[in-house]
Amino acid sequence: MGRVRVAGFAVSIDGFGAGPEQSLEHPMGKGGKDLHQWFYPTRAFRSMIGKDGGTEDRFASAAMAGFGAFILGRNMFGPAGDDWGGPDWKGWWGDNPPYHAPTFILSHHARAPIVMDGGTTFHFVTDGIEAALAQAKAAAGDLDVKIGGGVSTVQQYLKARAIDELHLVQSPIVLGRGENLFVGIDLPSLGYRVTEVVPTGLATHLVLSR
C-alpha cells in the first residue's frame, strides 16, 4: 500500500496557499500564480504544457511522480458555484490534464465521471473525505495518493491525520489575504516534524513527516 502525500504545495511567507477572490480570470485567487514561480522554469512544468527544456528540480519532478490517484477540492476542478463553470466545463487544464490517473473531486454537487485524454478520469465524491480517500487508495494500488489541494482539502486531511508526508514550498512573497494553510492547524500536536529543509534561489522546500 502506498502513502498519502502532499507534494509541491506552495505557500507564501505569511502562510497563504491561495490568493483571495478566485475566479475564471484568477483560478488561484489574486496573486496566487506568484506562489508557483519556482515551478514554472522547471523541466517538469514545461513538459506538462508540451514544451521542451527547463531546469532540473528534484522537487518539481517528484510533485507529480509516483502517484496512482489524486484527490482535489471542488475549487481545484472549477470555479465555485453549482454550474461548474458552465455545462461544458471539464476542469482548468484542457483536454489532457496533468494527472494521468484517477482523480477524485470532493464536492457537494453530484456529477457523472468525466474521462479525459491521457488517462485522467475525474470522479466526483459527495460523501466526504474518508470515502474519497478509500476510493483513491483502491485506485492507486501500490502507488501513492496525492492530496492536491486546495487549502481546505489539505487542512481536512491533516486534521484527520491521513497525510503521511507534507512537502511545502515556501515562496518569497507575501499575499496578506486569501486561504491560510496554518489557521487552526497544530502540526506538532498532529505528529508532524520537519525532516528536510532545502533552500533555493526561488523558494525553500520543507518536508514534514509523521
Side-chain angles (χ1 to χ4, degrees):
M1 177 83 57
R3 297 179 298 164
V4 179
R5 295 194 286 133
V6 172
F9 194 89
V11 295
S12 64
I13 289 173
D14 46 350
F16 292 96
E21 301 174 40
Q22 184 201 36
S23 64
L24 286 172
E25 183 181 358
H26 301 285
M28 304 173 194
K30 291 182 177 179
K33 286 183 66 176
D34 293 339
L35 291 169
H36 306 279
Q37 294 294 339
W38 73 278
F39 189 47
Y40 301 139
T42 66
R43 185 182 301 275
F45 174 76
R46 291 179 63 82
S47 67
M48 283 171 52
I49 60 174
K51 294 185 177 181
D52 297 327
T55 58
E56 294 294 342
D57 185 306
R58 70 178 177 92
F59 287 106
S61 298
M64 295 298 287
F67 297 104
F70 295 81
I71 297 175
L72 305 178
R74 166 68 175 81
N75 290 357
M76 287 286 291
F77 176 77
D82 294 351
D83 68 351
W84 298 90
D88 298 322
W89 184 264
K90 295 182 179 179
W92 298 108
W93 313 273
D95 293 332
N96 190 355
Y99 302 104
H100 311 300
T103 301
F104 298 87
I105 311 296
L106 299 169
S107 177
H108 296 297
H109 305 286
R111 185 172 181 176
I114 303 175
V115 179
M116 306 293 289
D117 294 342
T120 299
T121 298
F122 292 118
H123 302 273
F124 300 89
V125 182
T126 59
D127 46 354
I129 64 169
E130 293 86 1
L133 185 57
Q135 293 177 52
K137 285 183 174 181
D142 292 334
L143 297 176
D144 291 350
V145 172
K146 179 174 179 176
I147 309 298
V151 168
S152 175
T153 298
V154 174
Q155 288 179 329
Q156 290 178 68
Y157 281 106
L158 283 172
K159 290 177 181 178
R161 301 175 187 260
I163 295 172
D164 298 307
E165 182 180 277
L166 178 69
H167 165 223
L168 299 177
V169 186
Q170 188 179 57
S171 296
I173 66 169
V174 289
L175 288 178
R177 295 187 301 144
E179 299 178 40
N180 195 301
L181 179 64
F182 303 116
V183 171
I185 300 293
D186 184 341
L187 289 170
S189 292
L190 292 171
Y192 293 95
R193 61 187 180 87
V194 177
T195 54
E196 187 174 9
V197 179
V198 179
T200 72
L202 294 176
T204 298
H205 296 275
L206 302 156
V207 179
L208 296 90
S209 305
R210 292 182 68 235

